[in-house]
Amino acid sequence: MPPAAMTERPTSLTGIKPTNEPHLGNYLGAIRPALGLSATYDTFYFIADYHALTMVRDREAMRKSVYDVAATWLACGLDPSATTFFRQSDVPEVFELAWVLSCMVATGQLERGHSYKDALAKGEAPNAGIFNYPVLMAADIVLYDTNVVPVGKDQKQHLELTRDMATRFNHLFGAGEELLVVPEPLIGEAQLVPGLDGHKMSKSRGNGIVLFWPQKKLRKTIMKIVTGSEPLEAPKEPAGTLFELTRLLTPHVADEMAERLRAGGYGWGHAKQDFFEALDAELAPMRERYEALRADEPALDAMLAEGAERARVRARQTMTRVRHAIGMR
Ligand code: TYM
């Protein structure tokens, strides 16, 4: 039985759910760090559309969001000739592996899943997709022999479950061999980017700074971030949402901001303007690319289809190994 595919470089993989337009938390927590890995890793980045189905019940919204996320990745610098870039739903092997992995996890572990528990706590009646969400996510990761998964801290539990499922599979069917690669989460500095209300920035909470808002709207939103109300002359403590966002985006701008705030004579309005300028300097060139990419859906489809072809090559190799190990063929 051959071990997991050995490519020359380790593999980095991550996915984004097309549930709304991507925000600054997605960018700082996952997109920017993931793109930074492309020089040293074999990269597999994808759009987790079947995960979005747990929440998105509108065909047009789903269709639109998939293109929004695709154009975002590309505008941020993803090179589709160097990265395997695809839609989750174009690789049906993932569902076969999800079934296999579901047989490696106890229902009690899934009952402790954050999203499932939160839905129950809110009095909702979560669908079984929400319950099984971590299994499909584990399959996404394991299918491509992933070594590292750049994500925000909110995905840590999913990675722990993935590791459990892969380890259990190896224990039961691999006789000590690593038939399935056990991945590591890669949680960077921007673990939990705060949203406009100080809570974790999240699509469902509506507290996000959408990455490609027009410049005017971006500035207006930043100016509304709640800060201290000390008089201009007073020295101020560099803390709170605005300062934290600046620190995560551009540490050097934050260092200067901290100095000025402590010295006094520099108001929160100035700090907002400085944050806006730093953010806009990073986003403006991407925003322009985004508009052009987003306007050409057939080109996005072609790129994703090509990526899916490449993704399926590795997916089929993994499934051959898995089927053989479990005695299906
Ligand atoms: P999603 O679409 O909710 O978020 C995409 C990525 O953005 C990160 N993120 C954040 N990071 C820091 N601070 C925040 N406020 C913040 N908000 C979001 C998330 O941690 C994530 O990395 N389950 C995944 C999608 C997925 C996936 C996968 C990811 C499906 N299969 C396999 C990795 C590997 C999700 O809901 O991401």
Side-chain angles (χ1 to χ4, degrees):
M1 164 77 358
M6 295 293 288
T7 50
E8 278 162 38
R9 304 194 303 170
T11 297
S12 157
L13 168 142
T14 201
I16 295 187
K17 233 173 13 199
T19 40
N20 244 323
E21 291 165 289
H23 55 56
L24 190 60
N26 302 133
Y27 178 68
L28 296 177
I31 298 175
R32 196 169 72 172
L35 293 174
L37 296 174
S38 53
T40 37
Y41 284 79
D42 229 2
T43 43
F44 283 68
Y45 297 150
F46 70 98
I47 302 165
D49 47 357
Y50 266 115
H51 274 114
L53 186 64
T54 59
M55 302 155 74
V56 180
R57 308 318 193 119
D58 172 327
R59 183 193 313 136
E60 189 44 34
M62 176 74 86
R63 208 190 66 79
K64 178 184 169 303
S65 288
V66 167
Y67 292 121
D68 290 347
V69 174
T72 297
W73 270 115
L74 294 161
C76 293
L78 184 147
D79 169 2
S81 68
T83 289
T84 303
F85 179 49
F86 60 103
R87 272 191 185 99
Q88 180 188 40
S89 58
D90 283 341
V91 186
E93 287 80 3
V94 78
F95 303 106
E96 189 178 356
L97 185 58
W99 176 260
V100 174
L101 293 179
S102 77
C103 300
M104 302 295 128
V105 65
T107 51
Q109 285 177 282
L110 298 179
E111 275 163 11
R112 290 190 287 280
H114 293 320
S115 314
Y116 177 67
K117 269 185 15 188
D118 288 353
L120 285 184
K122 279 192 240 155
E124 293 167 9
N127 59 63
I130 290 177
F131 185 73
N132 290 318
Y133 188 109
V135 178
L136 182 57
M137 182 157 159
D140 286 330
I141 296 170
V142 166
L143 190 59
Y144 304 101
D145 295 331
T146 302
N147 301 99
V148 298
V149 187
V151 279
K153 199 176 168 191
D154 57 325
Q155 300 298 315
K156 191 164 173 255
Q157 189 191 41
H158 290 147
L159 263 294
E160 282 161 6
L161 284 165
T162 303
R163 290 175 57 83
D164 275 5
M165 289 178 232
T167 304
R168 183 139 182 80
F169 182 90
N170 290 339
H171 175 72
L172 291 173
F173 299 104
E177 228 183 316
E178 199 180 50
L179 281 180
L180 296 180
V181 176
V182 182
E184 297 281 348
L186 211 68
I187 299 173
E189 181 73 11
Q191 304 193 349
L192 276 186
V193 178
L196 297 168
D197 57 0
H199 293 276
K200 183 202 135 190
M201 191 177 288
S202 105
K203 292 175 199 154
S204 54
R205 218 181 148 88
N207 64 353
I209 297 179
V210 169
L211 218 46
F212 297 126
W213 268 338
Q215 193 185 48
K216 251 190 176 164
K217 178 156 185 190
L218 182 69
R219 184 169 185 281
K220 209 169 152 196
T221 307
I222 289 170
M223 291 299 159
K224 280 197 239 154
I225 295 177
V226 178
T227 55
S229 51
E230 305 95 316
L232 180 68
E233 288 317 315
K236 300 165 193 72
E237 205 34 53
T241 303
L242 182 79
F243 183 74
E244 184 61 6
L245 288 171
T246 312
R247 191 181 70 77
L248 295 172
L249 176 77
T250 39
H252 63 284
V253 174
D255 288 346
E256 215 170 287
M257 185 184 281
E259 224 172 87
R260 288 186 175 169
L261 284 166
R262 286 202 183 96
Y266 176 83
W268 285 112
H270 297 124
K272 287 178 184 177
Q273 179 64 25
D274 286 344
F275 171 62
F276 162 70
E277 284 174 15
L279 184 57
D280 196 52
E282 181 143 348
L283 297 184
M286 299 182 193
R287 190 185 297 127
E288 219 168 283
R289 284 201 294 273
Y290 178 81
E291 297 304 337
L293 288 157
R294 183 64 188 82
D296 193 349
E297 293 179 358
L300 294 172
D301 279 332
M303 243 178 254
L304 292 168
E306 210 255 314
E309 279 305 308
R310 281 191 271 148
R312 288 192 80 182
V313 172
R314 201 182 282 195
R316 288 192 189 112
Q317 287 167 357
T318 305
M319 284 321 297
T320 301
R321 221 163 56 231
V322 167
R323 285 193 210 110
H324 186 277
I326 60 182
M328 289 295 174
R329 297 270 159 91

